[in-house]
Amino acid sequence: MEERWSTEHVLSLAPDAASQKAAGKLSTPAPWSAAGTDGTALWGECRGSGSTPYRIVIELATPAYRCSCPSRKFPCKHALGLLLLWSGSPEAVPAAEPADWAVDWLAARRARAAAPSAATPSAAAPADPAAARRRAEKRGARVAAGAAELRLRLADRIRHGLADRCTAGPWEEVAARMVDAQAPGLAARVRELDGLPQERLLEEYAMLHLLATAATRIDELPSELAATVRTRVGYPTDTAEILAGPTVRDRWQVLGSRTTPMGDGGDDRLTTRRVWLRGAKTGRPALLLAFGRPGQAPDLAVPTGHLLEAELAFHPGARPLRAALGTRYGAPEPGPAAPPAGLTVAEAVAGYGTAVADDPWLDAWPTVLAGVVPVRTPDGWQLTDGHHTVPVRPSAVPEPALWRLAAVSTGRPLTVFGEYGHQGFAPVTAWAGDHRPIGLTTA
């Protein structure tokens, strides 16, 4: 039987809330004609304001979309509406042979995928190792100088006293200095200081001072820890270079995904999508990141619970987690009928402790908790397994999503995937009695 996507997954592909709302109006059979599917693609014609209906074709594996409408959003409301129709009303999108116009687009996509890339490594101009080394040395010197200045600024704040926030002034000027020093990771952490509550300042000062100190001594650190420091400081990574290194092939189970805006607000924000995986054979966790320009959703889209056989190349570090997606072997397949194996709360705490021993700046680690019940207390939401309790991280998910989690649980234990760290647990996905993954919308 064909595996159809959930409504939740379809809506996660939308570039914005307005597209989600508009697609909902196109999720009934009324505006559609000539809709069909062959299991790998969808197609259909949608009646619009003009005399000619819009033609939509969707390749499910990538996914990829083509619509004849003039919308600059991607995917457009028509593509999302067809996916919602296919998801919610299977009889309205029956099995069929593709229409000629759909065949042409699908064939062109397959031809492009099969053709060798023109930009092969052998065709690229050879790099100048000496010039690259000089650029790296120059940047390293600027980063080290910026990190040394940051240490002095932190020490000055401590000497003034943490309570004296009036004379301390905002951190934005220091953050700008870190940008000038080509250390965007340090700049981002510095900007967060102005919004922290008083009781967390000393902790964050200490961790930032430790990172700044490590940035001035990268060449003295073990290679894996040095790679972690470079990542935290904000050194760029070359995806092509990472994919050229060792890869790990596995059948990766999608544990959850989260799409969040980046920027200061408005419709011009970029979006970032995080997809967490776990290897069925290796048991290794992985995090994929994808970014979407304004008006476009991030490309990466795999339904939660599915299995993706692929090669991943992990970014170097003391505790590798982020990975680049390499060669895929087929389309995502439905995963196991049972929830993923999980840990007790005590085991999750110990696991995070082991991870943070390798990477002191690790805020959270992907974790599956088994047999936990969500409980609302005067101190906030918590997850308990009957022996130990972990707080839900404030602002990790909106209040309605936590009430939904409680309603799904109905007081019974369930499996929850999320990130556990020193500020608590941030739920992402839950598996209830029917073993169907339920995503929790983030704020």
Side-chain angles (χ1 to χ4, degrees), residues 143-379:
V143 169
E149 179 181 344
L150 177 58
R151 293 174 62 196
L152 292 175
R153 297 292 189 109
L154 290 167
D156 286 343
R157 294 293 176 94
I158 294 295
R159 279 193 294 270
H160 278 91
L162 297 183
D164 188 7
R165 303 194 77 168
C166 296
T167 59
W171 280 99
E172 182 56 40
E173 182 223 338
V174 182
R177 293 283 299 134
M178 296 305 104
V179 172
D180 292 341
Q182 295 183 281
L186 290 178
R189 294 182 74 103
V190 166
R191 287 192 181 98
E192 293 174 356
L193 294 176
D194 280 324
L196 288 178
Q198 195 78 14
E199 62 271 15
R200 286 191 52 205
L201 278 178
L202 185 59
E203 170 192 342
E204 291 302 319
Y205 279 22
M207 296 308 299
L208 190 51
H209 187 274
L210 180 64
L211 181 58
T213 301
T216 65
R217 303 174 57 185
I218 289 182
D219 294 339
E220 303 174 31
L221 301 176
S223 59
E224 292 181 345
L225 183 58
T228 296
V229 172
R230 288 190 179 94
T231 298
R232 300 291 182 187
V233 167
Y235 280 80
T237 55
D238 186 343
T239 300
E241 183 178 338
I242 291 172
L243 287 171
T247 59
V248 180
R249 179 173 175 175
D250 205 336
R251 300 185 73 210
W252 302 93
Q253 183 177 8
V254 182
L255 296 177
S257 66
R258 174 183 294 162
T259 303
T260 53
M262 301 170 60
D264 298 327
D267 297 330
D268 58 345
R269 290 183 294 180
L270 297 176
T271 56
T272 178
R273 175 169 292 152
R274 292 171 171 81
V275 179
W276 290 272
L277 310 173
R278 183 163 69 183
K281 299 176 185 176
T282 61
R284 184 170 184 173
L287 172 63
L288 303 179
L289 294 182
F291 303 94
R293 299 188 300 273
Q296 295 191 11
D299 291 336
L300 185 62
V302 188
T304 298
H306 277 50
L307 290 170
L308 175 66
E309 184 167 358
E311 294 180 359
L312 299 186
F314 285 82
H315 289 233
R319 177 63 63 148
L321 178 64
R322 184 181 173 186
L325 180 61
T327 304
R328 299 190 189 191
Y329 298 91
E333 301 175 355
L343 306 174
T344 66
V345 171
E347 290 169 337
V349 173
Y352 173 65
T354 301
V356 83
D358 293 330
D359 180 355
W361 305 279
L362 190 66
D363 291 326
W365 187 251
T367 304
V368 179
L369 294 177
V372 292
V373 178
V375 179
R376 193 171 189 270
T377 73
D379 296 326

Side-chain angles (χ1 to χ4, degrees), residues 25-91:
K25 299 177 181 179
L26 300 176
S27 61
T28 62
W32 293 95
S33 61
T37 178
D38 62 359
T40 64
L42 308 178
W43 57 88
E45 297 183 349
C46 184
R47 186 174 64 251
S49 56
S51 59
T52 304
Y54 298 123
R55 289 178 169 179
I56 301 94
V57 57
I58 302 170
E59 183 192 60
L60 294 171
T62 307
Y65 320 90
R66 173 71 174 90
C67 181
S68 60
C69 78
S71 175
R72 298 177 64 181
K73 294 185 178 181
F74 191 79
C76 66
K77 64 181 181 180
H78 306 102
L80 293 168
L82 180 56
L83 283 168
L84 288 173
L85 181 68
W86 169 70
S87 170
S89 304
E91 68 283 353

Side-chain angles (χ1 to χ4, degrees), residues 106-145:
L106 292 169
R109 276 194 57 80
R110 295 188 186 103
R112 287 194 298 271
S117 173
T120 57
S122 58
D128 183 348
R133 185 175 62 253
R134 288 193 296 271
R135 287 193 298 270
E137 290 174 351
K138 184 176 180 180
R139 177 171 189 153
R142 297 187 68 173
V143 169

Side-chain angles (χ1 to χ4, degrees), residues 5-12 84 87-88:
W5 298 351
S6 66
T7 299
E8 176 185 86
H9 178 65
V10 174
L11 293 178
S12 75
L84 288 173
S87 170

